[in-house]
Amino acid sequence: MKIFGFEFNFGNVKNSLETETDFVPIKKFTEKQKQIMAYNGQQLRSAWENSLFDGGKFAGGFGVTQNQTIDYPTLRMRSTQLFNENLYAKGLIRRLITNEINTGLSPDAIPDEEFLGMSEDDAYNWSEKTENLFSLWWKNPSVCDWYQSRTFGELQRSARTEALISGDVLVVLRQSNDTKLPMVQLVSGAKIKTPWNQVKLKKGHEIKHGVEFDKNSRVVAYWIEQDDYEFTRLVANSAKTGRRISWLVYGTEKRIDHIRGMPLLSIVLQSLKEIDRYRDSAQRKATINAMLAMFIRKNKDKMGSLPMQGAAVRNDQFEVADSDGTTRNFNVANQIPGVVFDELQDGEEPIGFNSAGTDIDFQKFEETIIQAVAWANEVPPEIMRLSFSNNYSASQAAINEFKIYLNKIWHKFGDEFCQPIYNDWVYSQVLLDNIEANGFIEAWNTPNKFETLGAWLACDWFGSIKPSTDMLKTAKGSQLLVANAWSTNAREARNITGTKFTKNIKKLKRENELLVDALAPIKEFDAQIEIQKSQKMNDVFEQTQVEGENNARFGGGTHGRLDANRIN
């Protein structure tokens, strides 16, 4: 057989693994051929065989390969159950919500002034006005929440919590008849279901897990189960205006072919359930062992002295059924702490019950499981357990790792939840002439003008910044970055304090003006004191100068001063 112009003899090659002695030697190659084949003088081929790689290192090593179908309803119910009754699950979710959302992600409007042909001052003024108007809408539940009970920050917390527990949450934008601004409505992902009965769909449309797709596999509507078990169809986008009406926000990363989101706790459901059982059993064991204080052991067949009953403050008796069906009385005595028995019967011996009821290995086992759960959810164990016992460098490294995670979540949640709401809010404000944005309305439904729309709607979302454990070091490092143009004041203000540099400058200017006005009376008083001191010093100087002149004219001593006084 010829391969690449070379003659090979594979007559003795089998499908099974053979030793190289079974192979027929290959003819000698020229130096050029050796370079081409990269054998470097090797004269024999190594053995080979046909094989199938399936991830296992040996037959059956991986175990049974499962073709899994995700049971979304069961995962949601189990995740909800675990969040309600499992302290580890509740602690994990609440820790994430507090760090990710806190009081809510705030917008930083950054319109592209170069593309829009705006000056930097105009872009800054537009951003300030837009952010201030959005903040007023944000803080008023009666205008931002469809149920008029929560601010936009609280809506963010609710949406993120529901998405983590149930896997996803449906966001619906309603239009207020009073303000003509959008109002946010949240619908639990558990209510998004495929209708039980037959529904009429357009040709090529299909419903999967409550989500309706068109023939191009694009989401066009959601089916919501009402309290009366009837279903309502809610479109994803308005056919007239193109405005977004409803969409799903997911708690975790969703694979391409997955339709619904999986709860965050899906991968650790059983682990958290069993560690909670372990904790309860260890606690119950300690409680029971603490209740059984001691008993009297009798080594001789003599009448008992009943010391426990004699020293008891209360005696009880219960009837207990044995396994053979007979019954016997079980005496219980409540003792006063510190009771001392004397005059025990010969053969009676008080025996303390083994009270080592706590599991000494439970803490290590619990810590190991919690670390694995934290690692699976990209959270440093120190932050999840709120236990900061390491040194500064280790704690700072954990915080830096968590900041990377938070930046990813802010970007993801801001794009999925906050940005669509912000877009619709800006659209409404432009229609109401509260915000001026040239070309915005024309570009809204014109696909080839997406640059104009994107330039006006450009916005970053930031959450609460974790304070530095050593602010002095952080401030010096930040100052060095700005001084060498490796960063900007705006970036450092956002990263260190979570504030906006331009707003800080405005506030500082006003504070300095107020400080100057407040210190003006004190400065005037100090100036008067300085004037009086100066006048007093001048008087002393003049007096000293006169005395010096007199001394020079009449001489020093008593007679000289008397002569000077006579002349004066």
Side-chain angles (χ1 to χ4, degrees):
M1 178 184 293
K2 285 188 176 182
I3 301 178
F4 300 112
F6 303 103
E7 187 70 29
F8 294 91
N9 189 343
F10 298 105
N12 293 332
V13 178
K14 300 178 181 180
N15 288 334
S16 60
L17 181 63
E18 302 285 355
T19 62
E20 61 182 20
T21 57
D22 293 328
F23 289 84
V24 177
I26 305 172
K27 72 174 186 177
K28 293 183 178 180
F29 300 112
T30 63
E31 290 300 324
K32 184 176 181 180
Q33 290 172 334
K34 291 177 182 179
Q35 293 177 3
I36 296 175
M37 297 294 290
Y39 270 86
N40 294 325
Q42 180 175 327
Q43 300 298 309
L44 297 175
R45 297 273 301 183
S46 299
W48 63 277
E49 67 175 352
N50 292 326
S51 65
L52 177 65
F53 178 73
D54 62 355
K57 296 184 178 180
F58 54 88
F62 182 80
V64 179
T65 302
Q66 301 177 356
N67 185 12
Q68 296 179 339
T69 300
I70 301 177
D71 187 354
Y72 291 110
T74 302
L75 287 177
R76 291 192 202 100
M77 288 186 289
R78 289 182 175 180
S79 179
T80 301
Q81 176 184 346
L82 211 63
F83 178 77
N84 292 334
E85 64 185 23
N86 187 288
L87 59 90
Y88 300 102
K90 185 179 288 288
L92 172 61
I93 297 296
R94 295 177 67 181
R95 192 97 290 274
L96 289 178
I97 296 300
T98 299
N99 283 275
E100 294 174 1
I101 307 301
N102 205 290
T103 57
L105 303 189
S106 302
D108 183 11
I110 47 174
D112 193 331
E113 65 271 9
E114 293 183 4
F115 182 86
L116 298 173
M118 303 171 63
S119 64
E120 291 186 3
D121 292 338
D122 291 340
Y124 168 76
N125 294 332
W126 189 92
S127 299
E128 289 292 307
K129 180 180 180 180
T130 303
E131 291 174 11
N132 292 335
L133 288 175
F134 190 78
S135 177
L136 296 175
W137 175 84
W138 166 322
K139 297 178 181 179
N140 193 338
S142 61
V143 297
C144 69
D145 181 19
W146 175 251
Y147 299 106
Q148 299 183 347
S149 61
R150 290 169 292 187
T151 63
F152 187 61
E154 293 171 337
L155 286 171
Q156 293 183 46
R157 290 181 60 92
S158 299
R160 182 62 178 163
T161 302
E162 188 66 25
L164 291 177
I165 297 175
S166 296
D168 50 36
V169 61
L170 184 68
V171 183
V172 183
L173 286 185
R174 308 285 188 179
Q175 203 71 16
S176 172
N177 294 326
D178 299 327
T179 63
K180 309 301 180 183
L181 295 175
M183 304 183 76
V184 182
Q185 179 185 9
L186 300 179
V187 180
S188 173
K191 293 186 177 182
I192 312 302
K193 300 179 180 179
T194 300
W196 312 113
N197 54 345
Q198 294 291 333
V199 294
K200 187 177 180 180
L201 299 175
K202 293 183 179 180
K203 185 178 180 180
H205 285 214
E206 61 177 340
I207 303 175
K208 297 179 181 179
H209 300 287
V211 183
E212 182 179 340
F213 298 88
D214 62 9
K215 61 181 180 180
N216 295 319
S217 298
R218 296 172 180 171
V219 178
V220 294
Y222 301 94
W223 290 84
I224 305 173
E225 184 183 32
Q226 305 296 319
D227 293 337
D228 57 359
Y229 302 105
E230 295 293 331
F231 285 86
T232 301
R233 182 178 184 269
L234 184 64
V235 298
N237 296 281
S238 173
K240 294 182 179 180
T241 63
R243 300 172 75 169
R244 204 170 185 181
I245 295 178
S246 60
W247 67 95
L248 283 174
V249 173
Y250 303 96
T252 58
E253 289 86 354
K254 185 175 71 72
R255 296 186 61 188
I256 297 176
D257 294 333
H258 288 183
I259 300 171
R260 303 294 301 276
M262 294 179 62
L264 178 74
L265 303 175
S266 299
I267 193 66
V268 294
L269 283 174
Q270 186 168 343
S271 298
L272 293 183
K273 186 72 174 179
E274 291 181 354
I275 187 62
D276 194 50
R277 288 170 177 167
Y278 186 8
R279 185 187 186 93
D280 289 342
S281 63
Q283 182 178 354
R284 182 59 58 88
K285 178 182 178 182
T287 303
I288 293 176
N289 287 336
M291 291 178 179
L292 301 176
M294 63 177 298
F295 60 91
I296 301 297
R297 176 186 293 172
K298 298 183 63 176
N299 297 325
K300 295 183 179 180
D301 188 13
K302 293 185 177 182
M303 182 179 294
S305 61
L306 302 178
M308 307 292 289
Q309 295 184 13
V313 296
R314 179 179 177 182
N315 293 317
D316 290 314
Q317 188 178 79
F318 301 95
E319 188 177 275
V320 181
D322 291 335
S323 58
D324 58 359
T326 60
T327 60
R328 60 186 177 89
N329 293 329
F330 185 73
N331 298 323
V332 178
N334 294 336
Q335 306 289 334
I336 297 177
V339 172
V340 178
F341 301 116
D342 56 5
E343 297 296 335
L344 291 177
Q345 177 66 273
D346 185 21
E348 291 182 342
E349 179 184 2
I351 302 298
F353 191 78
N354 183 14
S355 59
T358 57
D359 194 331
I360 59 176
D361 296 327
F362 173 75
Q363 182 178 0
K364 295 181 179 178
F365 180 76
E366 179 189 43
E367 184 176 352
T368 302
I369 297 299
I370 296 303
Q371 285 182 347
V373 172
W375 178 74
N377 291 285
E378 302 182 79
V379 181
E382 298 92 333
I383 294 178
M384 181 176 174
R385 295 185 290 112
L386 288 179
S387 177
F388 304 96
S389 57
N390 296 327
N391 55 36
Y392 172 80
S393 299
S395 299
Q396 192 64 38
I399 292 176
N400 291 337
E401 284 294 323
F402 195 51
K403 285 182 179 180
I404 297 175
Y405 167 81
L406 289 179
N407 288 333
K408 182 192 73 171
I409 295 299
W410 292 344
H411 182 79
K412 177 179 180 295
F413 189 76
D415 288 345
E416 290 185 2
F417 181 83
C418 300
Q419 190 66 40
I421 298 173
Y422 173 80
N423 294 348
D424 195 90
W425 178 86
V426 172
Y427 181 83
S428 300
Q429 292 285 14
V430 173
L431 289 177
L432 295 172
D433 292 330
N434 294 330
I435 295 178
E436 183 179 356
N438 297 329
F440 183 87
I441 299 300
E442 295 78 6
W444 183 265
N445 287 324
T446 307
N448 58 2
K449 293 185 178 181
F450 66 92
E451 301 97 337
T452 302
L453 198 64
W456 282 115
L457 296 176
C459 182
D460 291 332
W461 297 87
F462 296 93
S464 297
I465 301 298
K466 297 185 74 65
S468 174
T469 54
D470 192 335
M471 185 57 73
L472 181 60
K473 290 182 179 179
T474 304
K476 288 183 177 179
S478 178
Q479 186 178 13
L480 181 64
L481 293 175
V482 174
N484 290 276
W486 297 333
S487 184
T488 63
N489 286 314
R491 181 186 296 274
E492 295 305 311
R494 176 66 71 182
N495 292 339
I496 296 178
T497 62
T499 58
K500 198 169 183 179
F501 178 73
T502 53
K503 290 186 177 181
N504 292 343
I505 292 297
K506 277 189 172 183
K507 291 181 180 179
L508 282 174
K509 179 182 178 181
R510 178 57 178 163
E511 289 175 357
N512 290 334
E513 292 175 351
L514 293 174
L515 186 62
V516 170
D517 294 340
L519 295 178
I522 298 178
K523 290 184 177 181
E524 291 178 0
F525 177 77
D526 292 341
Q528 292 295 331
I529 296 296
E530 291 296 329
I531 292 174
Q532 294 177 3
K533 288 182 179 180
S534 178
Q535 185 65 38
K536 186 175 182 180
M537 292 179 64
N538 291 334
D539 294 342
V540 172
F541 177 76
E542 292 178 357
Q543 181 66 27
T544 303
Q545 188 176 15
V546 170
E547 291 181 355
E549 293 176 353
N550 292 336
N551 291 335
R553 293 174 59 188
F554 304 102
T558 305
H559 297 287
R561 287 195 294 272
L562 292 175
D563 294 339
N565 290 332
R566 292 192 191 100
I567 296 174
N568 293 333

